[in-house]
Amino acid sequence: MSESEQLDADRIRTLLESEGDEIKENTRLFNAERYDAVEAVGEAEHEDNRSRAREIKEDAIERLPELVDRTREAVEANGGTVYVADDAADANRYISEVADDADADSVVKSKSMTTEEIDLNEALEADGLDVWETDLGEFVVQIAEEAPSHIVGPSLHKSREEITELFEREFDPDESLDSAEKLTAFAREYLGGRIDDAEVGVTGANFVMADSGSIALVTNEGNARKCASIPDTHVAVAGIEKIIPSVAELEPFAELISRSATGQEIPQYLSLLTPPVDTPAIDFDSEDEPGFGNSDADREFHLVLLDNGRREMREDDDLRETLYCIRCGACANSCANFQSVGGHAFGGETYTGGIATGWEAGIEGNDVAEEFNDLCTGCSRCVNACPVKIDIPWINTVVRDRINRGKDPGFDDMLVDGLMPDEEESGTPLRKRFFGNFETAAKIGSATAPLSNAVASTGLARKAMESVLGVDARRDLPEFERTTLRDWAEGRESPVEAPERRVALYPDVYTNYVQTERGKAAVRVLEALGCEVVVPDVGGSGRAPLSQGMIATAERKAEDVAESVLPYVEDGYDVVVVEPSDLAMFRREYEKLLPAEEHERIDQGSYEILEYVFGLLENGASADALPGGDGDGVAYHSHCQQRTLGLESYTETVLERLGYDVLTSDVECCGMAGSFGYKSEYYDLSMDVGATLADQFEAVADERTVVASGTSCMEQLDSLLSPGTRHPVELLDPAGR
Amino acid sequence: MSSGSVEQFQQSLSRLDAASTVVSPDELEATIADLADPPAIGAELPFDDLSLAETPVTLGPSPAQLRDAVTGVTGSRMGIASLGTVAVESREEGDEFVALYPERHVVVIKASDLRSDLADAFGWIRGEFEADRQSFILATGPSSTGDMGALVQGVHGPEQVHIVIVRDNE
């Protein structure tokens, strides 16, 4: 990748301007349709399908060598050929030979990301063959000489007007192609002739069924069926990970794939082909001969199974899950950043979207994945969207960690190593170590406040932070409190004499040093509902270093938290967390960072603050102890990781119970996500993503109190709307009225 | 054994913008004659008791007839009531081409061959695979694309789909 194509502020700005509108409209439509389709089939049934699909993939990847052998036996018994290609060059060489044996002048293709991966078109064209993409989206991209921007809709970054201009320039048609209908009719006619003339048809395979040697193809246009059945020779190219045992295992995927991709119940065409098929060959040279020209040609079938790094991914405990991917694009559509810039920023040489980091790291290497890896903010909205339950944010974190470790130690390191109390190897970029060690900055900042705040806000300091650390000067910095939440809590006597429950309120870094008011409110609310509250001496959850891909540091933090918090759990305390991203650490990421038993105890023993308040009210605590809403309006933005955990509704319900009229935002993410929005190159993207949230709340901000659960969300909302965002628990604070 | 209902199948088809007609076996030939806008081609039906032989449909067309046909008529041995899906089988009769080239695809299916949903359909598919019949296209409504900036029907496959549901003899 050349220097000019590196992802920087300019390139992001250019993509936002040139492709943003189309990408936004199309990805958000797919995403909304996915939600509707899942609701229509029922959450429980959808979850069943996801669990089954996941099990089938786990098992199939585990048994892959055996399934490759069975596939070969079945395809050969049917009269076809299987070729396992080690890499792109190997696959291309084989396919070129097949085309050569077929005396081919031209090849037609239906959509296949795997052939994009190996640059098959270029290889065949170098052999003098004409190659035509027949999927209309791929055709557009081919004519425009661009790369696909989306796994499912390769050209969805282009408007109808742009395609018209492109086609009219390229093909000089007799009449203007100024509608989607005319463009489609033109492409059908143009490509129809090319399909009839081609000697070889190349398709992908969404699934390969080992027992019968069948392939499944998912399309809406019908072009895969034509490419597979009209030319006498059919080559299907698929990654080896596409194999499932038999047609019986196809069922959950048939349920899931279109629903996850575009919100369709089923694609227009779900083809189960066991080539060579019985459909007769056509002899177009005997135009008027009945029986399709009475061809005496035999059908030929070649299945090319591509390794290209996949067998190594299978051995890699962290990248293995990538192989479960069924290329539905749901991770891209549910990703707020992808919704703004699309796959030309959020993708590598072939694959795009959330899962692209896993694919590109596995098949191309970490350097290709690095270009866009940081676009994953870890918001986790793709986690529930993925039909095979791949932990995409974790894969992105692991690859980020590996990229950090691959860097040569520079001069910075010698300066920083002694100052940063982290576990990272020399070479980890200074800026990542700064964000990853925010807890240290917060400690110092708080201890020296208000001086630290005053210094940090000077133009000189901001300029230095921007040039050295890449902290965008347009962002307001968090202001540290001199008195931490813990200091405040330590000097307090509990007003609850006979507590119903005992709570250890987790003082996350922000609540302890910056947003102390929401921590104090949480304490008072819990006490009003009959809880004894302590604020234990415990450090950061590890969220900040984890976001920077500093896994070893995050792991040490997790161990410290477990050591400090578990004794409280042992003693019967409930752990209550104010910051959703820290609760998400306890529930999700600690599974990867702590021994299973410790993770389980923390996971089971911890609650989000409003989830906990809901539980108290359900179990007899009186809402009268809290101030009522008197019908006041609230505009509520939940937090991305909180929504992934399914916790959004607790806040809504509690606020409604107290008499508030609640309007909840329905955007996937505010676009801030911790350090992301502070970074200079991502500032514009962060604001672009946030604009959708601002649009929803702007009209109501005057008459509704804006509340948000996460610190980052509050900061983003404060910069988007007039300042004054609060945490929901502050509305419940008895001292607040 | 059928467990899918004709009513549900027709409702699903109307959601897909696909037409449907319910006929008795005796009415099939006349119905096909009505629906087969000429020139029409066909693949002989996969049923012992129903045939296209007496309809104005060319069976086993030449390549030129295949390209020029406006209507293509095929049979289907399985439909899915909840989805409006029909199975097109890859057979020597050339169903696959007849179903794809012409702008109108007319599908003949027996009411008794309707399954209720995809899970039920997969039961049937597994049985077919065991009996060594292993190439089917589950086709649902007209072919379509959103790649040209708006949803358009009729891309590489048919623009119109008409399903003829043949009631069982009582």
Side-chain angles (χ1 to χ4, degrees):
Chain A
M1 180 107 335
S2 69
E3 197 63 32
S4 62
E5 284 171 305
Q6 288 286 343
L7 200 54
D8 57 20
D10 284 343
R11 183 155 168 252
I12 288 176
R13 219 173 288 128
T14 306
L15 284 169
L16 283 172
E17 279 163 19
S18 61
E19 302 183 354
D21 290 348
E22 298 301 323
I23 300 264
K24 257 190 205 92
E25 188 185 327
N26 289 311
T27 52
R28 286 180 186 161
L29 179 67
F30 282 155
N31 200 38
E33 303 264 313
R34 175 177 60 82
Y35 279 117
D36 290 347
V38 169
E39 200 185 312
V41 74
E43 193 74 43
E45 194 177 324
H46 185 67
E47 277 308 301
D48 274 359
N49 285 327
R50 289 178 78 210
S51 301
R52 269 189 69 200
R54 168 94 193 180
E55 273 169 33
I56 291 165
K57 275 292 186 184
E58 280 180 1
D59 171 68
I61 296 301
E62 173 73 30
R63 294 196 289 139
L64 192 57
E66 171 206 331
L67 292 180
V68 171
D69 289 344
R70 269 162 65 191
T71 304
R72 184 192 297 280
E73 282 163 28
V75 170
E76 286 175 359
N78 296 337
T81 313
V82 171
Y83 186 74
V84 179
D86 290 333
D87 54 24
D90 191 16
N92 288 335
R93 184 190 49 73
Y94 180 80
I95 299 165
S96 289
E97 280 171 17
V98 170
D100 204 33
D101 289 346
D103 279 333
D105 294 317
S106 67
V107 172
V108 284
K109 291 180 66 211
S110 79
K111 187 163 165 295
S112 151
M113 295 310 289
T114 314
T115 60
E116 296 276 347
E117 178 184 327
I118 59 177
D119 292 327
L120 176 63
N121 294 16
E122 287 79 348
L124 293 177
E125 280 162 1
D127 277 359
L129 288 156
D130 282 331
V131 184
W132 293 102
E133 294 289 349
T134 63
D135 172 88
L136 266 44
E138 284 285 353
F139 182 52
V140 168
V141 165
Q142 182 182 25
I143 298 304
E145 295 181 12
E146 289 178 11
S149 66
H150 190 279
I151 292 180
V152 171
S155 66
L156 59 67
H157 59 288
K158 286 205 172 305
S159 68
R160 201 275 297 158
E161 288 75 12
E162 286 171 303
I163 303 173
T164 295
E165 202 188 307
L166 174 70
F167 275 33
E168 289 183 353
R169 191 174 61 224
E170 188 69 25
F171 301 111
D172 195 18
D174 295 336
E175 64 158 339
S176 174
L177 303 174
D178 55 1
S179 71
E181 286 75 16
K182 287 184 200 166
L183 284 167
T184 303
F186 177 84
R188 172 176 55 218
E189 188 67 29
Y190 187 88
L191 292 170
R194 267 138 195 97
I195 296 172
D196 289 354
D197 290 345
E199 291 82 8
V200 177
V202 175
T203 68
N206 293 82
F207 302 92
V208 174
M209 291 159 265
D211 271 10
S212 55
S214 316
I215 60 171
L217 291 166
V218 176
T219 68
N220 287 330
E221 296 182 358
N223 58 314
R225 296 168 63 191
K226 282 192 160 170
C227 291
S229 64
I230 295 172
D232 296 338
T233 299
H234 173 197
V235 181
V237 185
I240 46 172
E241 82 285 0
K242 296 282 186 72
I243 307 180
I244 55 176
S246 75
V247 74
E249 285 76 22
L250 183 64
E251 191 185 331
F253 298 104
E255 290 278 2
L256 287 166
I257 192 164
S258 292
R259 205 171 277 137
S260 304
T262 52
Q264 291 171 276
E265 280 182 286
I266 187 167
Q268 256 84 12
Y269 301 111
L270 173 61
S271 304
L272 311 180
L273 302 177
T274 308
V277 291
D278 289 338
T279 302
I282 308 182
D283 183 359
F284 286 104
D285 292 334
S286 309
E287 264 234 306
D288 297 315
E289 181 91 12
F292 305 99
N294 237 336
S295 169
D296 55 5
D298 284 331
R299 287 193 168 277
E300 245 192 78
F301 174 64
H302 300 264
L303 175 62
V304 178
L305 292 172
L306 179 70
D307 174 4
N308 205 29
R310 286 165 173 80
R311 283 187 276 216
E312 249 179 80
M313 290 166 81
R314 184 173 165 266
E315 303 295 324
D316 184 323
D317 284 343
D318 292 306
L319 287 190
R320 184 183 306 123
E321 285 196 27
T322 308
L323 299 172
Y324 305 163
C325 169
I326 61 170
R327 318 288 205 282
C328 68
C331 55
N333 299 331
S334 60
C335 172
N337 281 348
F338 190 95
Q339 287 177 357
S340 277
V341 288
H344 287 155
F346 207 146
E349 297 189 343
T350 305
Y351 298 101
T352 68
I355 196 66
T357 283
W359 280 120
E360 295 293 340
I363 63 174
E364 298 281 355
N366 290 339
D367 48 339
V368 172
E370 181 181 0
E371 289 154 24
F372 59 94
N373 172 264
D374 281 344
L375 282 180
C376 172
T377 63
C379 85
S380 79
R381 295 301 299 147
C382 54
V383 167
N384 295 347
C386 177
V388 274
K389 302 188 180 184
I390 299 173
D391 193 343
I392 295 166
W394 179 255
I395 292 172
N396 284 316
T397 304
V398 169
V399 172
R400 196 169 295 167
D401 187 89
R402 291 177 187 180
I403 292 166
N404 290 345
R405 282 163 200 279
K407 295 266 182 264
D408 285 332
F411 175 68
D412 305 346
D413 281 304
M414 293 192 283
L415 285 176
V416 182
D417 251 353
L419 294 173
M420 299 289 191
D422 62 25
E423 305 289 308
E424 301 310 304
E425 288 171 17
S426 297
T428 301
L430 171 63
R431 175 217 225 171
K432 293 203 173 192
R433 292 179 77 172
F434 168 75
F435 281 114
N437 286 294
F438 178 70
E439 187 176 357
T440 308
K443 255 183 211 163
I444 299 167
S446 167
T448 58
L451 181 67
S452 57
N453 294 325
V455 171
S457 65
T458 61
L460 195 66
R462 292 310 306 260
K463 220 172 260 176
M465 286 178 83
E466 190 162 90
S467 64
V468 179
L469 300 169
V471 176
D472 200 284
R474 288 166 289 188
R475 282 282 181 199
D476 289 336
L477 295 177
E479 284 194 26
F480 300 110
E481 295 286 347
R482 181 67 186 240
T483 308
T484 65
L485 177 68
R486 276 206 73 246
D487 294 342
W488 173 84
E490 228 164 31
R492 276 179 100 245
E493 288 258 326
S494 175
V496 183
E497 281 178 12
E500 295 281 329
R501 301 195 75 94
R502 295 192 296 165
V503 169
L505 186 80
Y506 174 69
D508 64 86
V509 173
Y510 262 91
T511 308
N512 196 39
Y513 297 105
V514 183
Q515 300 272 348
T516 55
E517 280 313 311
R518 68 179 190 176
K520 293 175 195 172
V523 171
R524 289 188 289 254
V525 167
L526 292 169
E527 286 174 349
L529 296 173
C531 300
E532 177 202 308
V533 185
V534 296
V535 179
D537 183 12
V538 48
S541 69
R543 170 60 71 192
L546 194 82
S547 296
Q548 307 306 320
M550 294 159 56
I551 295 178
T553 306
E555 197 169 70
R556 204 203 63 214
K557 299 261 179 200
E559 285 159 4
D560 289 350
V561 167
E563 202 182 309
S564 308
V565 157
L566 281 174
Y568 284 94
V569 176
E570 279 314 86
D571 284 353
Y573 283 82
D574 299 316
V575 179
V576 173
V577 184
V578 179
E579 172 58 39
S581 60
D582 287 307
L583 181 75
M585 277 298 278
F586 292 1
R587 293 217 174 148
R588 282 177 34 79
E589 281 86 3
Y590 275 14
E591 189 184 354
K592 315 272 193 203
L593 304 176
L594 290 177
E597 183 258 353
E598 288 185 22
H599 164 247
E600 205 170 295
R601 276 156 63 212
I602 294 186
D603 174 19
Q604 308 265 316
S606 58
Y607 305 85
E608 193 262 342
I609 176 73
L610 271 290
E611 176 193 22
Y612 196 73
V613 168
F614 171 84
L616 293 171
L617 295 177
E618 283 290 287
N619 286 291
S622 170
D624 295 343
L626 306 176
D630 297 332
D632 285 355
V634 168
Y636 171 52
H637 175 65
S638 183
H639 177 275
C640 41
Q641 286 159 352
Q642 183 186 25
R643 289 178 67 200
T644 296
L645 294 172
L647 300 172
E648 178 182 43
S649 60
Y650 293 114
T651 304
E652 289 173 337
T653 307
V654 168
L655 290 175
E656 278 165 7
R657 235 180 241 192
L658 289 172
Y660 286 98
D661 178 49
V662 184
L663 169 86
T664 305
S665 69
D666 63 5
V667 298
E668 292 294 354
C669 180
C670 72
M672 183 73 179
S675 61
F676 184 83
Y678 286 105
K679 294 181 177 172
S680 299
E681 70 271 38
Y682 301 133
Y683 176 81
D684 292 311
L685 174 54
S686 166
M687 295 307 276
D688 188 74
V689 170
T692 323
L693 177 57
D695 281 350
Q696 277 187 24
F697 279 2
E698 216 149 37
V700 298
D702 287 342
E703 65 240 34
R704 287 175 184 266
T705 309
V706 178
V707 294
S709 300
T711 306
S712 304
C713 322
M714 292 171 82
E715 286 175 358
Q716 178 76 320
L717 276 163
D718 282 348
S719 63
L720 292 164
L721 305 167
S722 53
T725 311
R726 302 165 77 193
H727 189 283
V729 81
E730 292 181 69
L731 298 188
L732 276 50
D733 185 357
R737 287 221 170 175
Chain B
M1 216 0 103
S2 157
S3 51
S5 81
V6 171
E7 292 70 28
Q8 194 192 7
F9 188 50
Q10 287 193 287
Q11 276 169 19
S12 302
L13 288 168
S14 67
R15 277 204 307 275
L16 298 166
D17 214 7
S20 62
T21 313
V22 185
V23 300
S24 68
D26 299 346
E27 296 166 317
L28 180 65
E29 282 171 10
T31 306
I32 295 295
D34 265 1
L35 293 175
D37 281 356
I41 58 172
E44 186 54 290
L45 303 179
F47 310 116
D48 292 338
D49 51 346
L50 298 171
S51 167
L52 296 176
E54 302 297 318
T55 63
V57 161
T58 305
L59 300 177
S62 68
Q65 287 170 321
L66 177 67
R67 278 173 163 154
D68 294 342
V70 171
T71 308
V73 186
T74 70
S76 169
R77 293 190 293 111
M78 196 275 290
I80 308 174
S82 66
L83 298 170
T85 304
V86 293
V88 176
E89 190 170 355
S90 289
R91 299 187 305 150
E92 286 170 6
E93 285 77 1
D95 303 51
E96 177 68 328
F97 299 142
V98 173
L100 268 176
Y101 273 85
E103 64 185 59
R104 165 179 279 201
H105 181 203
V106 175
V107 187
V108 180
I109 189 165
K110 290 181 165 186
S112 55
D113 285 338
L114 294 180
R115 321 293 297 195
S116 60
D117 55 19
L118 192 62
D120 195 11
F122 261 91
W124 180 86
I125 290 166
R126 284 198 300 274
E128 291 290 308
F129 266 66
E130 277 161 28
D132 239 11
R133 292 185 293 269
Q134 301 180 329
S135 291
F136 297 93
I137 289 94
L138 304 184
T140 307
S143 76
S144 76
T145 186
D147 288 343
M148 293 299 174
L151 195 68
V152 179
Q153 292 187 334
V155 194
H156 295 285
E159 189 179 339
Q160 298 163 30
V161 171
H162 196 118
I163 313 279
V164 181
I165 305 156
V166 183
R167 267 197 304 267
D168 306 296
N169 274 320
E170 275 141 28

